[in-house]
Short mmCIF file of all heavy atoms in Angstrom, two decimals:
data_model
loop_
_atom_site.label_atom_id
_atom_site.label_comp_id
_atom_site.label_asym_id
_atom_site.label_seq_id
_atom_site.Cartn_x
_atom_site.Cartn_y
_atom_site.Cartn_z
N MET A 1 -9.32 -25.66 -3.47
CA MET A 1 -8.35 -24.66 -3.08
C MET A 1 -9.08 -23.39 -2.63
O MET A 1 -10.00 -22.93 -3.29
CB MET A 1 -7.43 -24.35 -4.26
CG MET A 1 -6.33 -23.38 -3.93
SD MET A 1 -5.22 -23.14 -5.31
CE MET A 1 -3.91 -24.21 -4.79
N ALA A 2 -8.70 -22.87 -1.49
CA ALA A 2 -9.35 -21.69 -0.93
C ALA A 2 -8.97 -20.44 -1.72
O ALA A 2 -7.84 -20.30 -2.20
CB ALA A 2 -8.95 -21.51 0.52
N LYS A 3 -9.93 -19.55 -1.84
CA LYS A 3 -9.69 -18.29 -2.54
C LYS A 3 -8.85 -17.38 -1.64
O LYS A 3 -9.15 -17.21 -0.47
CB LYS A 3 -11.03 -17.62 -2.87
CG LYS A 3 -10.89 -16.39 -3.70
CD LYS A 3 -12.24 -15.83 -4.06
CE LYS A 3 -12.09 -14.56 -4.86
NZ LYS A 3 -13.38 -13.96 -5.15
N LYS A 4 -7.80 -16.80 -2.20
CA LYS A 4 -6.93 -15.94 -1.42
C LYS A 4 -7.56 -14.56 -1.31
O LYS A 4 -8.07 -14.01 -2.28
CB LYS A 4 -5.56 -15.83 -2.09
CG LYS A 4 -4.86 -17.16 -2.16
CD LYS A 4 -3.44 -17.01 -2.51
CE LYS A 4 -2.83 -18.38 -2.54
NZ LYS A 4 -1.43 -18.38 -2.36
N SER A 5 -7.52 -14.01 -0.10
CA SER A 5 -8.09 -12.67 0.08
C SER A 5 -7.08 -11.62 -0.37
O SER A 5 -5.87 -11.81 -0.30
CB SER A 5 -8.48 -12.46 1.54
OG SER A 5 -7.34 -12.53 2.36
N THR A 6 -7.61 -10.53 -0.86
CA THR A 6 -6.76 -9.46 -1.37
C THR A 6 -7.19 -8.12 -0.76
O THR A 6 -8.30 -7.98 -0.24
CB THR A 6 -6.83 -9.35 -2.89
OG1 THR A 6 -8.18 -9.11 -3.28
CG2 THR A 6 -6.32 -10.61 -3.57
N LEU A 7 -6.28 -7.17 -0.82
CA LEU A 7 -6.52 -5.81 -0.36
C LEU A 7 -6.27 -4.86 -1.52
O LEU A 7 -5.36 -5.09 -2.31
CB LEU A 7 -5.54 -5.43 0.76
CG LEU A 7 -5.53 -6.26 2.02
CD1 LEU A 7 -4.31 -5.90 2.85
CD2 LEU A 7 -6.79 -5.98 2.81
N VAL A 8 -7.06 -3.80 -1.61
CA VAL A 8 -6.78 -2.75 -2.57
C VAL A 8 -6.24 -1.57 -1.77
O VAL A 8 -6.89 -1.08 -0.86
CB VAL A 8 -8.04 -2.34 -3.36
CG1 VAL A 8 -7.72 -1.20 -4.31
CG2 VAL A 8 -8.59 -3.54 -4.12
N VAL A 9 -5.01 -1.17 -2.10
CA VAL A 9 -4.32 -0.11 -1.36
C VAL A 9 -4.13 1.08 -2.29
O VAL A 9 -3.69 0.91 -3.43
CB VAL A 9 -2.95 -0.61 -0.85
CG1 VAL A 9 -2.24 0.47 -0.06
CG2 VAL A 9 -3.11 -1.86 -0.02
N ARG A 10 -4.46 2.28 -1.81
CA ARG A 10 -4.30 3.51 -2.59
C ARG A 10 -3.38 4.46 -1.84
O ARG A 10 -3.51 4.67 -0.64
CB ARG A 10 -5.64 4.21 -2.81
CG ARG A 10 -5.49 5.52 -3.58
CD ARG A 10 -6.77 6.34 -3.66
NE ARG A 10 -7.85 5.57 -4.21
CZ ARG A 10 -9.10 5.61 -3.75
NH1 ARG A 10 -9.41 6.36 -2.73
NH2 ARG A 10 -10.04 4.89 -4.30
N GLN A 11 -2.44 5.06 -2.57
CA GLN A 11 -1.55 6.04 -1.95
C GLN A 11 -2.28 7.38 -1.87
O GLN A 11 -2.80 7.88 -2.86
CB GLN A 11 -0.26 6.18 -2.75
CG GLN A 11 0.73 7.13 -2.09
CD GLN A 11 2.07 7.15 -2.77
OE1 GLN A 11 2.37 6.30 -3.59
NE2 GLN A 11 2.88 8.13 -2.44
N THR A 12 -2.30 7.96 -0.67
CA THR A 12 -2.99 9.23 -0.45
C THR A 12 -2.04 10.36 -0.07
O THR A 12 -2.44 11.52 -0.11
CB THR A 12 -4.03 9.09 0.68
OG1 THR A 12 -3.38 8.67 1.86
CG2 THR A 12 -5.11 8.09 0.30
N GLY A 13 -0.81 10.03 0.30
CA GLY A 13 0.15 11.05 0.70
C GLY A 13 1.39 11.00 -0.15
O GLY A 13 1.73 9.98 -0.73
N SER A 14 2.10 12.12 -0.20
CA SER A 14 3.31 12.21 -1.01
C SER A 14 4.49 11.55 -0.31
O SER A 14 4.62 11.58 0.91
CB SER A 14 3.63 13.68 -1.26
OG SER A 14 4.86 13.82 -1.93
N SER A 15 5.38 10.98 -1.11
CA SER A 15 6.59 10.38 -0.57
C SER A 15 7.73 11.40 -0.49
O SER A 15 8.80 11.09 0.01
CB SER A 15 7.01 9.19 -1.43
OG SER A 15 7.27 9.61 -2.76
N THR A 16 7.48 12.60 -0.95
CA THR A 16 8.48 13.66 -0.88
C THR A 16 8.77 14.02 0.56
O THR A 16 7.86 14.11 1.38
CB THR A 16 7.97 14.91 -1.64
OG1 THR A 16 7.62 14.54 -2.95
CG2 THR A 16 9.04 16.00 -1.68
N ARG A 17 10.04 14.19 0.88
CA ARG A 17 10.51 14.58 2.22
C ARG A 17 10.14 13.55 3.29
O ARG A 17 9.87 13.89 4.43
CB ARG A 17 9.97 15.96 2.59
CG ARG A 17 10.51 17.06 1.70
CD ARG A 17 9.90 18.41 1.95
NE ARG A 17 9.91 18.74 3.37
CZ ARG A 17 9.23 19.74 3.90
NH1 ARG A 17 8.48 20.50 3.14
NH2 ARG A 17 9.29 19.99 5.18
N ARG A 18 10.14 12.29 2.91
CA ARG A 18 9.91 11.18 3.84
C ARG A 18 11.21 10.42 4.01
O ARG A 18 12.06 10.44 3.12
CB ARG A 18 8.82 10.22 3.33
CG ARG A 18 7.48 10.85 3.09
CD ARG A 18 6.83 11.20 4.40
NE ARG A 18 5.55 11.86 4.14
CZ ARG A 18 4.80 12.40 5.06
NH1 ARG A 18 5.18 12.38 6.32
NH2 ARG A 18 3.68 12.98 4.74
N PRO A 19 11.37 9.70 5.10
CA PRO A 19 12.58 8.87 5.26
C PRO A 19 12.70 7.84 4.14
O PRO A 19 11.69 7.39 3.57
CB PRO A 19 12.35 8.18 6.61
CG PRO A 19 11.39 9.05 7.34
CD PRO A 19 10.51 9.66 6.29
N LYS A 20 13.93 7.49 3.84
CA LYS A 20 14.20 6.57 2.73
C LYS A 20 13.49 5.23 2.89
O LYS A 20 13.01 4.66 1.92
CB LYS A 20 15.71 6.36 2.64
CG LYS A 20 16.15 5.57 1.44
CD LYS A 20 17.66 5.48 1.37
CE LYS A 20 18.09 4.69 0.15
NZ LYS A 20 19.55 4.56 0.09
N ASP A 21 13.40 4.73 4.14
CA ASP A 21 12.75 3.43 4.34
C ASP A 21 11.27 3.48 4.02
O ASP A 21 10.70 2.51 3.52
CB ASP A 21 12.99 2.91 5.75
CG ASP A 21 12.43 3.81 6.84
OD1 ASP A 21 12.40 5.03 6.64
OD2 ASP A 21 12.03 3.28 7.89
N GLN A 22 10.61 4.63 4.24
CA GLN A 22 9.19 4.75 3.89
C GLN A 22 9.02 4.78 2.37
O GLN A 22 8.09 4.17 1.83
CB GLN A 22 8.58 5.99 4.53
CG GLN A 22 8.45 5.88 6.02
CD GLN A 22 7.83 7.11 6.65
OE1 GLN A 22 7.35 8.01 5.97
NE2 GLN A 22 7.84 7.16 7.98
N LEU A 23 9.92 5.47 1.68
CA LEU A 23 9.87 5.49 0.21
C LEU A 23 10.06 4.09 -0.34
O LEU A 23 9.34 3.65 -1.23
CB LEU A 23 10.94 6.43 -0.34
CG LEU A 23 11.13 6.45 -1.85
CD1 LEU A 23 9.85 6.88 -2.55
CD2 LEU A 23 12.27 7.36 -2.24
N GLN A 24 11.02 3.35 0.21
CA GLN A 24 11.27 1.99 -0.25
C GLN A 24 10.09 1.07 0.03
O GLN A 24 9.80 0.16 -0.75
CB GLN A 24 12.54 1.44 0.39
CG GLN A 24 13.79 2.13 -0.10
CD GLN A 24 15.03 1.73 0.66
OE1 GLN A 24 14.94 1.26 1.80
NE2 GLN A 24 16.19 1.92 0.05
N THR A 25 9.39 1.31 1.14
CA THR A 25 8.21 0.51 1.46
C THR A 25 7.11 0.77 0.44
O THR A 25 6.45 -0.16 -0.02
CB THR A 25 7.72 0.83 2.88
OG1 THR A 25 8.78 0.55 3.80
CG2 THR A 25 6.51 -0.01 3.25
N LEU A 26 6.90 2.04 0.07
CA LEU A 26 5.90 2.36 -0.96
C LEU A 26 6.25 1.68 -2.28
O LEU A 26 5.37 1.12 -2.94
CB LEU A 26 5.80 3.87 -1.16
CG LEU A 26 5.12 4.65 -0.05
CD1 LEU A 26 5.27 6.15 -0.30
CD2 LEU A 26 3.66 4.28 0.07
N VAL A 27 7.52 1.71 -2.66
CA VAL A 27 7.95 1.06 -3.90
C VAL A 27 7.72 -0.45 -3.81
O VAL A 27 7.26 -1.08 -4.76
CB VAL A 27 9.43 1.39 -4.20
CG1 VAL A 27 9.96 0.55 -5.35
CG2 VAL A 27 9.58 2.87 -4.52
N GLY A 28 7.98 -1.01 -2.64
CA GLY A 28 7.76 -2.44 -2.43
C GLY A 28 6.29 -2.82 -2.55
O GLY A 28 5.96 -3.93 -2.96
N LEU A 29 5.41 -1.89 -2.19
CA LEU A 29 3.97 -2.13 -2.34
C LEU A 29 3.50 -1.87 -3.77
O LEU A 29 2.35 -2.13 -4.10
CB LEU A 29 3.19 -1.21 -1.38
CG LEU A 29 3.27 -1.56 0.10
CD1 LEU A 29 2.67 -0.43 0.93
CD2 LEU A 29 2.56 -2.86 0.39
N GLY A 30 4.39 -1.35 -4.61
CA GLY A 30 4.01 -1.06 -6.00
C GLY A 30 3.38 0.30 -6.16
O GLY A 30 2.71 0.57 -7.15
N LEU A 31 3.60 1.18 -5.19
CA LEU A 31 3.05 2.53 -5.24
C LEU A 31 4.19 3.50 -5.52
O LEU A 31 5.33 3.11 -5.65
CB LEU A 31 2.36 2.87 -3.92
CG LEU A 31 1.26 1.89 -3.51
CD1 LEU A 31 0.77 2.22 -2.11
CD2 LEU A 31 0.10 1.93 -4.49
N GLY A 32 3.87 4.78 -5.60
CA GLY A 32 4.92 5.78 -5.83
C GLY A 32 4.36 7.13 -6.19
O GLY A 32 5.07 8.13 -6.13
N ARG A 33 3.08 7.16 -6.56
CA ARG A 33 2.43 8.42 -6.90
C ARG A 33 1.10 8.50 -6.16
O ARG A 33 0.44 7.48 -5.96
CB ARG A 33 2.15 8.51 -8.40
CG ARG A 33 3.38 8.58 -9.26
CD ARG A 33 3.02 8.88 -10.71
NE ARG A 33 1.98 8.02 -11.23
CZ ARG A 33 2.19 6.87 -11.85
NH1 ARG A 33 3.41 6.42 -12.02
NH2 ARG A 33 1.19 6.15 -12.31
N ILE A 34 0.71 9.70 -5.79
CA ILE A 34 -0.58 9.88 -5.12
C ILE A 34 -1.69 9.43 -6.06
O ILE A 34 -1.69 9.75 -7.25
CB ILE A 34 -0.78 11.35 -4.71
CG1 ILE A 34 0.24 11.74 -3.65
CG2 ILE A 34 -2.19 11.58 -4.17
CD1 ILE A 34 0.20 13.18 -3.24
N GLY A 35 -2.62 8.65 -5.53
CA GLY A 35 -3.76 8.17 -6.30
C GLY A 35 -3.54 6.80 -6.94
O GLY A 35 -4.49 6.19 -7.43
N LYS A 36 -2.32 6.31 -6.95
CA LYS A 36 -2.05 5.00 -7.54
C LYS A 36 -2.61 3.91 -6.64
O LYS A 36 -2.51 3.99 -5.42
CB LYS A 36 -0.55 4.81 -7.74
CG LYS A 36 -0.22 3.61 -8.60
CD LYS A 36 1.22 3.64 -9.04
CE LYS A 36 1.47 2.45 -9.96
NZ LYS A 36 2.86 2.44 -10.41
N GLN A 37 -3.21 2.89 -7.25
CA GLN A 37 -3.82 1.78 -6.51
C GLN A 37 -3.18 0.47 -6.92
O GLN A 37 -2.78 0.30 -8.06
CB GLN A 37 -5.31 1.67 -6.81
CG GLN A 37 -6.14 2.79 -6.29
CD GLN A 37 -7.62 2.49 -6.44
OE1 GLN A 37 -8.30 2.40 -5.46
NE2 GLN A 37 -8.10 2.32 -7.65
N ARG A 38 -3.12 -0.46 -5.96
CA ARG A 38 -2.64 -1.81 -6.23
C ARG A 38 -3.51 -2.79 -5.48
O ARG A 38 -3.94 -2.52 -4.36
CB ARG A 38 -1.21 -1.98 -5.74
CG ARG A 38 -0.13 -1.29 -6.55
CD ARG A 38 0.06 -1.90 -7.92
NE ARG A 38 0.24 -3.34 -7.86
CZ ARG A 38 1.40 -3.97 -7.95
NH1 ARG A 38 2.49 -3.30 -8.10
NH2 ARG A 38 1.45 -5.28 -7.88
N GLU A 39 -3.74 -3.93 -6.09
CA GLU A 39 -4.44 -5.02 -5.42
C GLU A 39 -3.37 -6.01 -4.98
O GLU A 39 -2.63 -6.55 -5.81
CB GLU A 39 -5.43 -5.69 -6.37
CG GLU A 39 -6.27 -6.73 -5.68
CD GLU A 39 -7.41 -7.23 -6.56
OE1 GLU A 39 -7.78 -6.56 -7.52
OE2 GLU A 39 -7.91 -8.33 -6.24
N LEU A 40 -3.27 -6.21 -3.67
CA LEU A 40 -2.22 -7.05 -3.10
C LEU A 40 -2.82 -8.19 -2.29
O LEU A 40 -3.90 -8.06 -1.74
CB LEU A 40 -1.33 -6.19 -2.18
CG LEU A 40 -0.70 -4.95 -2.82
CD1 LEU A 40 -0.14 -4.04 -1.75
CD2 LEU A 40 0.38 -5.37 -3.79
N GLU A 41 -2.09 -9.28 -2.23
CA GLU A 41 -2.50 -10.42 -1.43
C GLU A 41 -2.45 -10.04 0.05
O GLU A 41 -1.53 -9.36 0.50
CB GLU A 41 -1.58 -11.60 -1.71
CG GLU A 41 -2.06 -12.90 -1.14
CD GLU A 41 -1.19 -14.06 -1.58
OE1 GLU A 41 -0.61 -14.00 -2.67
OE2 GLU A 41 -1.11 -15.02 -0.81
N ASP A 42 -3.43 -10.48 0.81
CA ASP A 42 -3.52 -10.15 2.23
C ASP A 42 -2.65 -11.11 3.04
O ASP A 42 -3.08 -12.18 3.45
CB ASP A 42 -4.97 -10.22 2.69
CG ASP A 42 -5.17 -9.71 4.10
OD1 ASP A 42 -4.20 -9.18 4.68
OD2 ASP A 42 -6.28 -9.84 4.63
N THR A 43 -1.37 -10.74 3.23
CA THR A 43 -0.44 -11.54 4.00
C THR A 43 0.09 -10.71 5.17
O THR A 43 0.00 -9.48 5.14
CB THR A 43 0.75 -11.99 3.13
OG1 THR A 43 1.47 -10.83 2.70
CG2 THR A 43 0.30 -12.79 1.92
N PRO A 44 0.66 -11.34 6.17
CA PRO A 44 1.22 -10.59 7.29
C PRO A 44 2.32 -9.60 6.86
O PRO A 44 2.41 -8.51 7.40
CB PRO A 44 1.79 -11.67 8.21
CG PRO A 44 0.98 -12.87 7.92
CD PRO A 44 0.67 -12.80 6.44
N SER A 45 3.12 -9.97 5.87
CA SER A 45 4.19 -9.06 5.43
C SER A 45 3.62 -7.83 4.76
O SER A 45 4.10 -6.71 4.97
CB SER A 45 5.17 -9.78 4.51
OG SER A 45 4.52 -10.25 3.35
N VAL A 46 2.58 -8.00 3.95
CA VAL A 46 1.94 -6.85 3.30
C VAL A 46 1.25 -5.98 4.34
O VAL A 46 1.34 -4.75 4.29
CB VAL A 46 0.96 -7.31 2.20
CG1 VAL A 46 0.11 -6.15 1.70
CG2 VAL A 46 1.70 -7.95 1.05
N ARG A 47 0.60 -6.60 5.31
CA ARG A 47 -0.04 -5.83 6.39
C ARG A 47 0.99 -5.01 7.16
O ARG A 47 0.73 -3.87 7.54
CB ARG A 47 -0.78 -6.77 7.35
CG ARG A 47 -2.05 -7.35 6.79
CD ARG A 47 -3.16 -6.35 6.92
NE ARG A 47 -4.41 -6.93 6.44
CZ ARG A 47 -5.58 -6.38 6.64
NH1 ARG A 47 -5.69 -5.26 7.32
NH2 ARG A 47 -6.67 -6.94 6.16
N GLY A 48 2.17 -5.58 7.40
CA GLY A 48 3.23 -4.87 8.10
C GLY A 48 3.73 -3.68 7.30
O GLY A 48 4.01 -2.61 7.86
N MET A 49 3.86 -3.86 5.99
CA MET A 49 4.30 -2.75 5.13
C MET A 49 3.26 -1.64 5.13
O MET A 49 3.61 -0.46 5.20
CB MET A 49 4.55 -3.26 3.71
CG MET A 49 5.73 -4.20 3.60
SD MET A 49 5.84 -5.00 2.01
CE MET A 49 6.49 -3.68 1.01
N ILE A 50 1.99 -2.01 5.08
CA ILE A 50 0.92 -1.01 5.12
C ILE A 50 0.94 -0.27 6.44
O ILE A 50 0.78 0.96 6.48
CB ILE A 50 -0.45 -1.67 4.85
CG1 ILE A 50 -0.53 -2.16 3.40
CG2 ILE A 50 -1.59 -0.70 5.15
CD1 ILE A 50 -1.72 -3.03 3.10
N ALA A 51 1.18 -0.98 7.53
CA ALA A 51 1.22 -0.35 8.85
C ALA A 51 2.37 0.66 8.94
O ALA A 51 2.24 1.71 9.57
CB ALA A 51 1.36 -1.40 9.94
N LYS A 52 3.47 0.36 8.28
CA LYS A 52 4.64 1.23 8.33
C LYS A 52 4.38 2.56 7.64
O LYS A 52 4.92 3.60 8.04
CB LYS A 52 5.83 0.54 7.68
CG LYS A 52 7.13 1.29 7.80
CD LYS A 52 8.29 0.45 7.40
CE LYS A 52 9.58 1.20 7.65
NZ LYS A 52 10.74 0.34 7.44
N VAL A 53 3.57 2.56 6.59
CA VAL A 53 3.27 3.79 5.85
C VAL A 53 1.78 4.11 5.90
O VAL A 53 1.21 4.65 4.96
CB VAL A 53 3.77 3.70 4.38
CG1 VAL A 53 5.28 3.68 4.31
CG2 VAL A 53 3.18 2.50 3.68
N SER A 54 1.15 3.76 7.03
CA SER A 54 -0.31 3.93 7.15
C SER A 54 -0.75 5.38 6.99
O SER A 54 -1.89 5.64 6.60
CB SER A 54 -0.80 3.39 8.49
OG SER A 54 -0.21 4.11 9.55
N HIS A 55 0.15 6.32 7.27
CA HIS A 55 -0.19 7.74 7.12
C HIS A 55 -0.12 8.19 5.67
O HIS A 55 -0.53 9.30 5.35
CB HIS A 55 0.76 8.58 7.99
CG HIS A 55 2.20 8.37 7.67
ND1 HIS A 55 2.86 7.20 8.00
CD2 HIS A 55 3.10 9.16 7.07
CE1 HIS A 55 4.13 7.30 7.59
NE2 HIS A 55 4.29 8.48 7.03
N LEU A 56 0.35 7.33 4.76
CA LEU A 56 0.47 7.66 3.35
C LEU A 56 -0.46 6.85 2.46
O LEU A 56 -0.56 7.15 1.27
CB LEU A 56 1.92 7.44 2.87
CG LEU A 56 3.00 8.24 3.58
CD1 LEU A 56 4.37 7.82 3.08
CD2 LEU A 56 2.79 9.72 3.36
N VAL A 57 -1.12 5.84 3.01
CA VAL A 57 -1.97 4.97 2.19
C VAL A 57 -3.32 4.75 2.89
O VAL A 57 -3.48 5.02 4.07
CB VAL A 57 -1.31 3.59 1.93
CG1 VAL A 57 0.00 3.75 1.18
CG2 VAL A 57 -1.09 2.83 3.21
N GLU A 58 -4.27 4.24 2.11
CA GLU A 58 -5.55 3.81 2.67
C GLU A 58 -5.95 2.51 2.00
O GLU A 58 -5.58 2.25 0.85
CB GLU A 58 -6.64 4.87 2.49
CG GLU A 58 -7.07 5.09 1.07
CD GLU A 58 -8.17 6.13 0.92
OE1 GLU A 58 -8.56 6.73 1.93
OE2 GLU A 58 -8.62 6.32 -0.21
N ILE A 59 -6.69 1.70 2.73
CA ILE A 59 -7.23 0.47 2.17
C ILE A 59 -8.60 0.80 1.61
O ILE A 59 -9.45 1.36 2.31
CB ILE A 59 -7.31 -0.63 3.24
CG1 ILE A 59 -5.90 -0.98 3.72
CG2 ILE A 59 -8.01 -1.87 2.67
CD1 ILE A 59 -5.86 -1.99 4.83
N VAL A 60 -8.80 0.48 0.34
CA VAL A 60 -10.02 0.84 -0.37
C VAL A 60 -10.95 -0.36 -0.39
O VAL A 60 -10.50 -1.50 -0.51
CB VAL A 60 -9.67 1.24 -1.83
CG1 VAL A 60 -10.91 1.65 -2.59
CG2 VAL A 60 -8.65 2.35 -1.84
N GLU A 61 -12.24 -0.11 -0.27
CA GLU A 61 -13.22 -1.18 -0.40
C GLU A 61 -13.20 -1.71 -1.82
O GLU A 61 -13.28 -0.93 -2.78
CB GLU A 61 -14.62 -0.67 -0.07
CG GLU A 61 -14.81 -0.29 1.38
CD GLU A 61 -14.67 -1.46 2.32
OE1 GLU A 61 -15.10 -2.58 1.96
OE2 GLU A 61 -14.11 -1.26 3.40
N LYS A 62 -13.05 -3.01 -1.94
CA LYS A 62 -13.01 -3.63 -3.26
C LYS A 62 -14.41 -3.76 -3.82
O LYS A 62 -15.30 -4.26 -3.13
CB LYS A 62 -12.35 -5.00 -3.14
CG LYS A 62 -11.78 -5.51 -4.42
CD LYS A 62 -10.82 -6.63 -4.15
CE LYS A 62 -11.47 -7.94 -4.51
NZ LYS A 62 -10.56 -9.06 -4.46
N PRO A 63 -14.65 -3.29 -5.07
CA PRO A 63 -15.99 -3.44 -5.64
C PRO A 63 -16.35 -4.90 -5.84
O PRO A 63 -15.51 -5.71 -6.22
CB PRO A 63 -15.89 -2.72 -6.99
CG PRO A 63 -14.45 -2.48 -7.24
CD PRO A 63 -13.71 -2.64 -5.95
N ALA A 64 -17.58 -5.24 -5.56
CA ALA A 64 -18.03 -6.62 -5.65
C ALA A 64 -18.23 -7.08 -7.06
O ALA A 64 -18.34 -6.41 -7.99
CB ALA A 64 -19.32 -6.80 -4.86
#
């Protein structure tokens, strides 16, 4: 079985005064506070969510 690739996503911007759909996208990614990190499976749907709030998150290099 192939190892699934993952992404580590960190929230860098505030969700305050953002459109409701962007807030819901952050919640869907498991984020909600600046500095919070999540390790997520690298799928097209997760990539799309990250693209939607790319100005509020960054992809972090995963430690080896």
Side-chain angles (χ1 to χ4, degrees):
M1 183 176 260
K3 185 176 178 183
K4 298 193 180 203
S5 62
T6 59
L7 301 168
V8 177
V9 181
R10 178 188 305 139
Q11 184 173 346
T12 58
S14 175
S15 60
T16 305
R17 295 174 49 193
R18 301 289 177 187
K20 187 176 180 182
D21 61 328
Q22 290 180 9
L23 173 60
Q24 291 172 338
T25 302
L26 287 172
V27 171
L29 289 170
L31 304 173
R33 294 189 310 269
I34 295 176
K36 192 166 183 180
Q37 292 189 118
R38 287 291 309 259
E39 186 171 340
L40 304 167
E41 191 173 331
D42 187 7
T43 63
S45 61
V46 170
R47 287 279 183 168
M49 293 170 77
I50 292 170
K52 186 169 185 172
V53 292
S54 62
H55 57 289
L56 300 175
V57 299
E58 68 179 3
I59 296 177
V60 181
E61 292 296 323
K62 202 163 104 172

